[in-house]
Amino acid sequence: MSIVSSYLKKHTESLVKDVGVEAACKVTGKSKATLGRYYSEHDDHAERFMPIDAVAALEQVASFPHVTSALSELKGITLSYDQTRRNAPSGGVNGDVIALSQRFAMLMAEYTLSVEDGKITINEAKRLLRETLELQKVLLDMKLNLEHEVSNPDG
């Protein structure tokens, strides 16, 4: 399986698990087995990928556009959101700097634990990926707040 295929399958799995398997079945109208085949790296399913309409439906209810983000990263494109995804109001740029520092510290802590024995296991890599994704979310929030500051200099 190519690196790109494997990368897309991992992000498809993240999308399904973000939404929840049961909920993903309802949203897409697909069975658990069918959804599982879309992210399975087994040779029998290497050529199976989730249809784009199912990806769009899942990303509509997910906390993050996992597959869209993966596709953009493969092309070297950075995504920018036009809506906030928070339940609480933003703390502004200062709050973002604090959140960024905390997230980066968490990523470095995970990394330190992961390389202690000289090898990063699959589970350790998954934890690092989760922390990296959380760090990316904070950076995107910070970008939005900075864009707001630039477009509204008086507050």
Side-chain angles (χ1 to χ4, degrees):
M1 178 177 296
S2 76
I3 292 172
V4 170
S5 294
S6 178
Y7 189 71
L8 290 173
K9 285 187 175 276
K10 285 179 187 354
H11 283 78
T12 301
E13 180 178 15
S14 294
L15 176 62
V16 170
K17 290 185 177 178
D18 180 347
V19 173
V21 177
E22 294 290 332
C25 290
K26 289 178 185 166
V27 168
T28 62
K30 309 282 187 198
S31 69
K32 287 182 188 179
T34 298
L35 290 177
R37 288 181 195 108
Y38 292 145
Y39 54 80
S40 171
E41 293 192 40
H42 191 274
D43 289 342
D44 291 346
H45 307 297
E47 299 301 317
R48 292 182 191 226
F49 293 92
M50 185 177 286
I52 196 69
D53 61 332
V55 170
L58 288 174
E59 287 190 348
Q60 192 72 22
V61 297
S63 67
F64 187 78
H66 299 276
V67 175
T68 299
S69 177
L71 289 168
S72 69
E73 289 168 1
L74 289 170
K75 187 66 177 164
I77 298 170
T78 302
L79 295 179
S80 178
Y81 294 97
D82 62 359
Q83 295 178 348
T84 348
R85 302 164 325 282
R86 299 177 183 220
N87 291 327
S90 169
V93 175
N94 291 338
D96 292 335
V97 169
I98 292 167
L100 183 62
S101 299
Q102 291 170 335
R103 276 289 160 198
F104 187 73
M106 291 173 76
L107 176 63
M108 290 299 97
E110 281 293 339
Y111 176 75
T112 301
L113 287 173
S114 298
V115 297
E116 231 171 37
D117 61 359
K119 183 175 186 255
I120 297 177
T121 66
I122 297 293
N123 286 334
E124 290 168 338
K126 286 180 180 180
R127 285 196 308 272
L128 286 168
L129 282 170
R130 273 192 297 273
E131 283 305 324
T132 303
L133 181 61
E134 291 303 317
L135 186 61
Q136 183 179 17
K137 288 177 186 177
V138 172
L139 284 169
L140 289 171
D141 287 341
M142 188 174 190
K143 179 180 182 276
L144 285 175
N145 282 326
L146 287 168
E147 286 175 353
H148 177 74
E149 291 289 326
V150 168
S151 63
N152 299 313
D154 296 330

